[in-house]
Amino acid sequence: DTAVSQTPKYLVTQMGNDKSIKCEQNLGHDTMYWYKQDSKKFLKIMFSYNNKELIINETVPNRFSPKSPDKAHLNLHINSLELGDSAVYFCASGPFEGRQFFGPGTRLTVL
Amino acid sequence: KQEVTQIPAALSVPEGENLVLNCSFTDSAIYNLQWFRQDPGKGLTSLLLIQSSQREQTSGRLNASLDKSSGRSTLYIAASQPGDSATYLCAVEAGYSTLTFGKGTMLLVSP
């Protein structure tokens, strides 16, 4: 029944490591997103994919690389993790320019 | 650059009160405005979406209004309940399916 799912829910890692977060949606939506929520709870768009094509790439370091193998999946790979990458990362999906549905979030802690 | 402001930042009310949450945005060229709620440690739940051509949307005890020309939206919650306690987020879409979020209003409804 889960609409938008993310794995893992928690991720604790050392600086300099590479990690991935996976996202899947079973709602049949064309568009998927990654958002970052910082320690002050401010939510900001990182990437937006429509039909597996990147349409938005906000000012995000190129250590972050999204990959969409198909319309139902959007994964986020992060290279050379830094302390400032610690945040909650949310995946979302929706019809293009429509209502967005969010996953439960992945809390990333970089030590 | 679009900026979204939510007032108040926090609100505490007794159960049963009607309340209004405010959202303002700087650029009136929007496609839609969305209201979400976020419970602690959880993802976002979509509450209402108002298209730019609409004036309001209703869902149960929630009513959201939009005045695009003045850059304002309100979320009205009738007969508040302790289960309404959460952070309420306003977000505007200005194109390319990209949401710009406010910092939220943290609502506490006491029994």
Side-chain angles (χ1 to χ4, degrees):
Chain A
D1 287 327
T2 303
V4 183
S5 60
Q6 296 179 227
T7 54
K9 188 170 174 61
Y10 299 96
L11 189 51
V12 181
T13 188
Q14 300 286 332
M15 267 196 328
N17 284 349
D18 303 338
K19 290 293 178 186
S20 292
I21 307 172
K22 295 186 177 181
C23 177
E24 177 180 1
Q25 56 99 0
N26 62 5
L27 298 168
H29 292 150
D30 289 335
T31 313
M32 295 185 72
Y33 315 82
W34 279 109
Y35 289 87
K36 178 181 180 180
Q37 188 170 44
D38 62 24
S39 57
K40 296 182 180 178
K41 307 294 185 188
F42 187 53
L43 202 62
K44 192 171 180 183
I45 183 76
M46 299 175 69
F47 300 102
S48 173
Y49 267 74
N50 182 247
N51 285 317
K52 302 195 308 174
E53 297 288 330
L54 180 66
I55 57 172
I56 288 289
N57 179 354
E58 291 294 311
T59 311
V60 176
N62 58 15
R63 298 182 294 104
F64 291 79
S65 53
K67 284 189 172 52
S68 182
D70 55 57
K71 279 172 50 173
H73 296 84
L74 180 63
N75 304 322
L76 183 65
H77 188 76
I78 316 170
N79 289 328
S80 304
L81 278 156
E82 301 178 356
L83 292 176
D85 298 333
S86 295
V88 181
Y89 292 85
F90 287 101
C91 176
S93 74
F96 189 69
E97 294 179 350
R99 200 167 174 177
Q100 295 189 19
F101 296 82
F102 281 69
T106 295
R107 182 174 293 277
L108 170 65
T109 303
V110 182
L111 303 175
Chain B
K1 179 186 172 188
Q2 179 75 266
E3 291 184 5
V4 179
T5 303
Q6 290 187 245
I7 294 173
L11 182 62
S12 182
V13 300
E15 182 177 6
E17 271 202 13
N18 302 326
L19 57 99
V20 175
L21 307 182
N22 297 292
C23 172
S24 61
F25 45 96
T26 54
D27 187 345
S28 61
I30 65 169
Y31 282 90
N32 64 58
L33 183 144
Q34 302 185 40
W35 283 94
F36 296 86
R37 71 174 275 169
Q38 185 174 25
D39 295 281
K42 306 280 187 182
L44 278 68
T45 300
S46 176
L47 297 174
L48 290 162
L49 180 150
I50 312 177
Q51 299 289 357
S52 61
S53 58
Q54 297 174 320
R55 297 285 292 183
E56 65 178 326
Q57 280 286 334
T58 298
S59 175
R61 294 182 294 108
L62 305 179
N63 176 276
S65 68
L66 174 63
D67 184 342
K68 201 174 89 160
S69 59
S70 68
R72 294 176 191 271
S73 175
T74 61
L75 179 67
Y76 175 82
I77 303 177
S80 58
Q81 302 171 356
D84 295 330
S85 298
T87 296
Y88 289 81
L89 295 159
C90 167
V92 298
E93 183 186 330
Y96 294 102
S97 212
T98 301
L99 292 179
T100 301
F101 280 85
K103 293 186 177 180
T105 294
M106 188 182 303
L107 173 64
L108 177 63
V109 182
S110 51

